[in-house]
Amino acid sequence: MRFLKPNFEKEGKGVSKDTPEKTGFALFVDTLIREFWNLIKLNFLFLLFSILIITIPASFAALTNVSMKIARQQHIFVFYDFKESFKKNWKQSSLLGIIFLLLFSLITISLIFYSNASSNNNLLYVPLFICIFINLLLAFSFIYSFPLLTTVKLSLKDIFKNSFLLSIISLKNTLIAIVFTIIIFSVSIFLFPFTFFAILTLSFSLTAFINSFFSWPAIQQYVIKN
């Protein structure tokens, strides 16, 4: 069955020096294929370090840190980079995670309240739509918040401010990341337990990589270069 094994000794055509550098979706697919195994290992690490609920924000920061390095085409050591980021960003990521959790919870409760109450009072549709809009802006900002936390040294105030601004400036990439995130988690949740293996091996790391890949260009252009 040797014909099923790749032959690394055979000479190929090679890569021409004039071959244009991959960008956009071509680079995304190429990186995803090349780093697929690392993403699986990364997903396992995230779940392992998230067993204690209080460690989820720090685990998510570590997950984002490694996925950002992958998106930036940097060489990674999955376990070492994850562990170092987990320790380094523990405090700030925990605070950021708690703030987002409180905000999302508050807006969600408000949405449920106004949604139920608006059936009896049409005027309550106004605060209902305002809550939907705020929740959407929070989701947009979330795409950039942890990538900023793990790549740039900023205060929490500046992370929130820059996350919001970047999500609007780079709206196309923001929408792409949001759509992919919704699709992945919707499929993972609604098709459970059939998606159990996917959740165990790829769902979280794939989402983090997508968010990192599409948030990095704006961070590089508007934050790091400035």
Side-chain angles (χ1 to χ4, degrees):
M1 300 293 290
R2 185 171 177 78
F3 63 91
L4 293 178
K5 298 180 181 179
N7 184 355
F8 296 106
E9 297 179 357
K10 183 178 179 180
E11 293 184 3
K13 294 181 178 180
V15 179
S16 171
K17 64 179 180 180
D18 297 323
T19 302
E21 185 177 342
K22 291 182 179 179
T23 58
F25 188 71
L27 178 61
F28 172 81
V29 173
D30 183 71
T31 306
L32 179 60
I33 294 172
R34 186 180 68 247
E35 301 290 346
F36 191 77
W37 176 239
N38 281 332
L39 289 175
I40 291 176
K41 291 188 288 185
L42 187 57
N43 201 83
F44 275 119
L45 280 174
F46 171 72
L47 292 175
L48 179 63
F49 277 71
S50 299
I51 291 177
L52 299 176
I53 296 176
I54 60 171
T55 63
I56 291 178
S59 297
F60 190 76
L63 173 72
T64 303
N65 178 64
V66 180
S67 64
M68 280 295 290
K69 288 185 176 182
I70 293 174
R72 296 163 67 182
Q73 311 301 312
Q74 295 180 344
H75 185 69
I76 61 168
F77 297 95
V78 178
F79 180 74
Y80 176 81
D81 291 338
F82 188 97
K83 184 183 67 173
E84 289 301 306
S85 179
F86 184 90
K87 293 190 296 184
K88 178 182 177 182
N89 297 303
W90 167 269
K91 182 178 179 180
Q92 197 175 31
S93 62
S94 296
L95 289 173
L96 185 63
I98 290 171
I99 292 172
F100 266 110
L101 178 61
L102 291 175
L103 290 174
F104 275 121
S105 299
L106 179 62
I107 297 299
T108 301
I109 292 172
S110 301
L111 277 171
I112 294 172
F113 171 78
Y114 287 120
S115 179
N116 293 330
S118 60
S119 58
N120 299 320
N121 187 346
N122 290 337
L123 290 177
L124 293 179
Y125 278 107
V126 175
L128 174 63
F129 287 123
I130 291 175
C131 287
I132 293 173
F133 181 70
I134 293 174
N135 217 26
L136 190 61
L137 290 181
L138 278 176
F140 281 9
S141 299
F142 187 80
I143 296 294
Y144 293 85
S145 59
F146 278 86
L148 278 171
L149 183 147
T150 57
T151 55
V152 187
K153 189 175 182 179
L154 295 171
S155 65
L156 285 178
K157 177 184 175 181
D158 287 332
I159 287 175
F160 274 103
K161 181 183 72 175
N162 283 284
S163 295
F164 170 74
L165 293 174
L166 290 175
S167 69
I168 302 303
I169 292 172
S170 186
L171 186 59
K172 178 183 176 182
N173 280 12
T174 303
L175 291 174
I176 292 173
I178 286 287
V179 168
F180 270 115
T181 300
I182 292 174
I183 290 174
I184 292 172
F185 279 100
S186 295
V187 171
S188 298
I189 293 171
F190 291 116
L191 294 184
F192 190 84
F194 302 105
T195 55
F196 176 76
F197 184 73
I199 294 172
L200 191 64
T201 58
L202 200 60
S203 292
F204 295 102
S205 60
L206 178 59
T207 303
F209 168 65
I210 290 171
N211 290 343
S212 297
F213 185 88
F214 287 102
S215 64
W216 168 240
I219 294 173
Q220 182 184 32
Q221 181 176 356
Y222 297 106
V223 180
I224 294 179
K225 285 188 176 180
N226 291 334

